[in-house]
Amino acid sequence: MPETLLRLHAQALRLFGERLRAVGDGQWGAPTPCTDWDVRALVNHVVGEQLWIPPLVTEGRTVEELGDAFPGDVLGEDPLAAWETASAAAHAAFAAPGALERTVHLSYGPSLAMAYCSELTADCIVHTWDLSRGIGADDRLPDDLVEFSIKEVMPYADGLAASGMYAEPLEVPAGANAQTRLLALLGRKG
């Protein structure tokens, strides 16, 4: 399982990076399916998530200790370079020997790093779709990443809207493909 998770995590990061490389100069202010975020804000969010991983997983620090270590704009003048540095460090942190068996201290309490990696892998996959939609790129996601994300999201999908971070789940049409089902769980219409 750890090898599979690390492979899927790396694949999700690569896919997001591919979409990020496709962002045109005039697209940073384009809207995304995340209604509060334009393309730059969405990318900033995903890069910011990667920045948290090394101190939480490798250093054993807590969210409270880190406080607002990564506030505001973490992209600077070169969003792609920020992504490449942050995503490489994040994957290295999860891939270190024994890292996935560690306990990480998140805002909602202690969690296994394996569960944290799974959560962020699914989040990166869905945000790849959001970014693709924002820039008008191909929004099809690889089947293995979609199936992984469905399994990750399904156990807590009913409570996501209550967090205020997701829209209410949508009704899934009969015969819908896996990507449509995943997006519907998260209140997104594919």
Side-chain angles (χ1 to χ4, degrees):
M1 171 72 175
E3 295 81 22
T4 300
L5 176 57
L6 290 172
R7 178 185 58 77
L8 292 170
H9 181 255
Q11 185 180 351
L13 295 175
R14 275 192 310 275
L15 186 61
F16 189 85
E18 288 170 12
R19 294 304 193 277
L20 181 54
R21 284 178 197 80
V23 176
D25 290 339
Q27 293 182 307
W28 291 102
T32 71
C34 299
T35 56
D36 292 340
W37 293 336
D38 61 13
V39 167
R40 185 174 178 91
L42 173 73
V43 172
N44 190 68
H45 165 73
V46 179
V47 171
E49 285 186 324
Q50 307 316 306
L51 293 173
W52 284 89
I53 295 167
L56 293 173
V57 174
T58 305
E59 300 169 22
R61 297 182 66 194
T62 66
V63 169
E64 293 79 21
E65 287 173 337
L66 291 169
D68 61 355
F70 309 110
D73 183 1
V74 297
L75 300 179
E77 295 297 316
D78 190 345
L80 183 57
W83 165 255
E84 289 175 347
T85 300
S87 64
H91 187 71
F94 281 134
L100 293 178
E101 286 77 41
R102 295 180 188 144
T103 298
V104 292
H105 301 280
L106 306 172
S107 60
Y108 52 81
S111 176
L112 278 178
M114 184 175 292
Y116 182 44
C117 183
S118 295
E119 176 187 328
L120 290 183
T121 300
D123 192 68
C124 186
I125 293 162
V126 172
H127 285 318
T128 297
W129 181 84
D130 294 329
L131 179 58
S132 299
R133 279 291 175 106
I135 63 171
D138 180 3
D139 65 5
R140 288 173 296 174
L141 300 168
D143 291 342
D144 57 343
L145 294 179
V146 170
E147 292 296 338
F148 170 83
S149 298
I150 289 173
K151 289 176 188 166
E152 175 62 23
V153 170
M154 188 65 84
Y156 52 89
D158 290 340
L160 290 176
S163 73
M165 296 170 37
Y166 296 89
E168 290 290 334
L170 303 174
E171 191 170 321
V172 180
N177 65 25
Q179 181 169 315
T180 300
R181 291 193 321 268
L182 170 64
L183 297 170
L185 282 172
L186 301 170
R188 289 164 168 86
K189 187 174 182 177

